[in-house]
Amino acid sequence: MSGKLFIVATPIGNLEDLTPRARKTLAEVDLVAAEDTRHTGRLLSHIGVKAPLLALHDHNEAQAVSSVIAALESGKSIALVSDAGTPLVSDPGYRLVQAAHAHSIVVSPIPGPCAVTAALSVAGLPTDRFCFEGFLPAKQAARRQVLDTLCRESRTLVFYESVHRITAVLEDMCAAFGDGRLAFIGRELTKLHEQCVQGTLGSLAVKVRDAAIVRKGEFVIVVAGSDEIAESSLEVDRLLVALNEHLSAKDAARVAADATGLKRNDVYKRLMVIRG
Ligand code: SAM
């Protein structure tokens, strides 16, 4: 019988956020696959757990996967952890999980901290639909291009950012989304110097520039989705008209909203305008 692969979330700052089930799992597995074995070694000794560690990071994932799969197939149970938060969320691990499914190995989540959900829970922006963009490109031209493609996205947007680029990224966001767009910055979430600030992109950029939001540590930026359907959105209009020939206006708006990611209300209003 193959062992089980557990994907274990660990704290994003505050060690008390490790769940009892995560602790129990780390104590019971035969092996812990970790992004950084020294970092995870410190976490394990903090919680009084001794477990053999194996490195699995971006640079060795391809090779490490075969030894982890071999160990699982020999009946060993394994926990995958990253340096912080939920593995696979802007962290290594998806190749391992993919291989485990391909080998019919049971994969089980041990959920817990994640900077995306921590930030969304306090951002005060709609969370019924959101779009996780992770880290933006480091180079400004590529970053601006990505932001330009997102400027009409109606879902709430979530970005990870490091201290090195936070000022430049906020300026680029002001340029792409407009400085009046509502947004949120979560800095050092769950840690001693945590800051959670909502404001327009313009006001957040000023606060970062003036160090009212300290330029240290780790950041999540949450940006409200666009609430405009551009007049030039011919494809959406065509889709709506075609759907409305076979469906009620309400159903046409629902299907078009699902297909485009736009808000149902906005699509319905647009249909009313088109129909005159
Ligand atoms: N797997 C992690 C998770 O579940 O959130 C994310 C790992 S990713 C390599 C690291 C990035 O997550 C940081 O650069 C930052 O953008 C964000 N992050 C992680 N911990 C954070 C915290 N305590 N406060 C704010 N952002 C954090």
Side-chain angles (χ1 to χ4, degrees):
M1 267 274 281
S2 291
K4 246 187 183 183
L5 174 62
F6 297 95
I7 308 302
V8 182
T10 58
I12 56 169
N14 191 324
L15 291 180
E16 289 181 22
D17 290 338
L18 187 86
T19 68
R21 201 155 84 92
R23 191 197 171 284
K24 186 167 177 280
T25 306
L26 292 171
E28 286 175 359
V29 290
D30 299 301
L31 186 70
V32 176
E35 186 181 7
D36 177 337
T37 50
R38 272 188 304 177
H39 182 97
T40 299
R42 284 194 293 274
L43 173 73
L44 293 183
S45 64
H46 175 81
I47 60 172
V49 165
K50 276 198 183 129
L53 286 156
L54 174 145
L56 188 144
H57 44 70
D58 278 335
H59 307 292
N60 79 341
E61 191 172 346
Q63 306 93 284
V65 163
S66 39
S67 31
V68 174
I69 294 293
L72 285 160
E73 286 191 317
S74 75
K76 290 199 158 62
S77 58
I78 297 186
L80 173 72
V81 298
S82 62
D83 285 355
T86 302
L88 279 79
V89 178
S90 288
D91 268 339
Y94 91 87
R95 290 186 192 85
L96 173 61
V97 174
Q98 199 171 66
H101 288 301
H103 286 78
S104 303
I105 288 160
V106 176
V107 186
S108 180
I110 309 292
C114 178
V116 181
T117 46
L120 280 170
S121 72
V122 289
L125 294 170
T127 52
D128 46 344
R129 286 169 185 229
F130 65 87
C131 175
F132 176 55
E133 283 293 319
F135 290 99
L136 286 162
K139 295 221 165 91
Q140 190 177 53
R143 186 162 68 230
R144 289 201 159 179
Q145 214 173 356
V146 173
L147 290 172
D148 283 343
T149 64
L150 292 171
C151 74
R152 287 187 28 226
E153 170 59 59
S154 65
R155 291 169 292 182
T156 295
L157 297 153
V158 186
F159 301 90
Y160 279 168
E161 201 43 76
S162 76
V163 65
H164 311 292
R165 282 187 287 273
I166 186 74
T167 317
V169 161
L170 284 168
E171 275 162 20
D172 291 344
M173 285 182 174
C174 286
F177 303 148
D179 50 15
R181 182 89 72 97
L182 198 56
F184 165 88
I185 292 182
R187 183 181 86 85
E188 295 287 83
L189 296 170
T190 77
K191 302 185 200 174
L192 187 61
H193 299 293
E194 175 181 275
Q195 278 187 295
C196 294
V197 188
Q198 195 201 60
T200 60
L201 276 173
S203 72
L204 293 175
V206 169
K207 284 194 169 118
V208 169
R209 220 180 302 130
D210 296 349
I213 297 174
V214 183
R215 286 192 301 269
K216 271 188 196 157
E218 302 186 282
F219 296 82
V220 182
I221 307 172
V222 186
V223 182
S226 162
D227 55 10
E228 64 163 294
I229 294 185
E231 291 297 320
S232 62
S233 184
L234 277 177
E235 274 172 38
V236 177
D237 290 359
R238 273 195 215 112
L239 176 67
L240 270 173
V241 170
L243 287 169
N244 194 212
E245 277 183 18
H246 307 284
L247 300 171
S248 67
K250 215 171 125 202
D251 285 344
R254 181 177 50 79
V255 175
D258 283 350
T260 58
L262 293 164
K263 286 184 187 145
R264 200 179 296 180
N265 250 348
D266 295 341
V267 177
Y268 183 80
K269 277 191 230 151
R270 180 71 193 153
L271 181 56
M272 292 301 110
V273 172
I274 301 168
R275 290 202 329 187

